[in-house]
């Protein structure tokens, strides 16, 4: 056994701690209203309550996108460390500058991780597209995400209202649910469980 062999287990544990101690409690702490109401109100208090509910759902969606970015950033850093230990490189690309999703494919092959095991690869790809859209707004990642996961773009004002003034940015209508973040965390943990070659590897985390 080499120090490199310990990396998948350590990475999986780090993902799990972040999810269990920070992300899940953060998601559960945010109020989310199953239905937003519109139309004429009978009192100022009713109007303010409806407005507060819109802000609550908007904030929860922003938090979910931020958590997706955090997970994607941590997982990318882990994979790059692991990949360099495996000797994975890309011609003409400096270490750390490789296009990450292409680099992830090479690392998975070098580490004998089946990206086509269930929805593992799809969930990881979706997480990185969401993270890119959250950082950059409209662009190529948004177009690819719409093609891959149209349900993330089901803009329904009864659940989520874009609070910005009128604009043409489709990325602001991206809607994530806590279940999506749980899927992404589970995909990260499952990847490392499949890369773990030590005894008693946890291939299936209890979430996602």
């Amino acid at each position: 056994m080499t120090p490199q062999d310990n990396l998948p287990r350590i990475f999986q544990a780090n993902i799990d701690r972040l999810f269990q101690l920070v992300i899940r409690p953060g998601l559960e702490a945010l109020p989310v209203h199953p239905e937003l109401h519109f139309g004429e109100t009978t009192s100022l208090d009713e109007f303010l309550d409806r407005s507060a509910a819109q802000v609550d759902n908007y904030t929860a969606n922003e938090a979910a996108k931020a958590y997706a970015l955090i997970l994607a950033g941590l997982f990318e850093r882990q994979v790059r460390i692991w990949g360099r230990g495996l000797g994975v490189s890309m011609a003409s690309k400096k270490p750390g500058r490789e296009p990450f999703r292409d680099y992830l494919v090479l690392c998975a092959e070098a580490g004998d991780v089946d990206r086509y095991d269930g929805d593992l690869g799809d969930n990881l790809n979706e997480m990185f597209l969401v993270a890119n859209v959250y950082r950059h707004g409209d662009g190529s990642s948004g177009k690819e995400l719409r093609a891959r996961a149209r349900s993330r773009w089901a803009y329904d004002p009864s659940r989520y209202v874009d609070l910005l003034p009128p604009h043409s940015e489709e990325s602001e209508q991206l809607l994530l649910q806590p279940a999506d973040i749980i899927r992404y965390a589970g995909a990260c943990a499952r990847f490392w469980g499949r890369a773990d070659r030590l005894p008693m590897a946890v291939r299936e985390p209890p979430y996602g």
Side-chain angles (χ1 to χ4, degrees):
M1 184 178 70
T2 68
Q4 176 75 17
D5 297 326
N6 291 300
L7 288 178
R9 186 158 301 184
I10 294 170
F11 290 155
Q12 186 186 56
N14 288 344
I15 290 284
D16 183 73
R17 282 190 291 267
L18 180 70
F19 175 70
Q20 299 286 12
L21 298 177
V22 178
I23 294 176
R24 173 171 270 170
L27 291 171
E28 292 175 349
L30 292 168
V32 177
H33 305 269
E35 183 178 2
L36 300 176
H37 299 281
F38 302 89
E40 186 175 348
T41 60
T42 59
S43 69
L44 178 60
D45 286 343
E46 184 181 9
F47 171 78
L48 292 175
D49 287 343
R50 289 185 179 184
S51 299
Q54 293 179 24
V55 173
D56 284 344
N57 284 18
Y58 182 87
T59 302
N61 190 49
E62 284 293 301
K65 291 186 288 188
Y67 284 136
L69 177 60
I70 290 170
L71 280 169
L74 173 57
F75 184 71
E76 177 174 346
R77 191 175 82 243
Q78 291 174 336
V79 169
R80 290 190 184 278
I81 293 170
W82 185 59
R84 286 192 283 269
L86 292 173
V88 178
S89 63
M90 297 180 70
S92 75
K93 300 294 183 182
K94 294 181 179 179
R97 302 299 299 273
E98 306 92 345
F100 179 67
R101 286 196 290 159
D102 295 335
Y103 189 69
L104 175 60
V105 171
L106 297 178
C107 290
E109 292 173 352
D112 196 26
V113 176
D114 183 5
R115 294 177 300 108
Y116 301 103
D117 185 357
D119 56 6
L120 177 62
D122 288 340
N123 283 333
L124 290 174
N125 269 324
E126 183 179 315
M127 176 181 70
F128 279 100
L129 289 171
V130 167
N132 282 339
V133 171
Y134 183 62
R135 282 186 296 186
H136 305 299
D138 286 3
S140 59
S141 290
K143 292 178 181 177
E144 184 177 348
L145 182 61
R146 289 181 73 90
R148 285 176 174 267
R150 294 197 63 81
S151 60
R152 305 287 84 74
W153 300 89
Y155 185 67
D156 180 357
S158 70
R159 297 165 58 207
Y160 168 72
V161 175
D162 175 13
L163 298 183
L164 298 184
H167 61 85
S168 60
E169 291 285 319
E170 293 182 342
S171 57
E172 289 302 307
Q173 296 184 359
L174 173 61
L175 178 61
L176 291 187
Q177 301 296 324
D180 297 317
I181 306 307
I182 294 171
R183 280 193 301 111
Y184 302 156
C188 295
R190 286 204 308 277
F191 181 93
W192 292 125
R194 282 152 178 72
D196 190 344
R197 299 293 177 257
L198 301 180
M200 297 186 293
V202 179
R203 294 176 56 84
E204 295 295 334
Y207 47 85

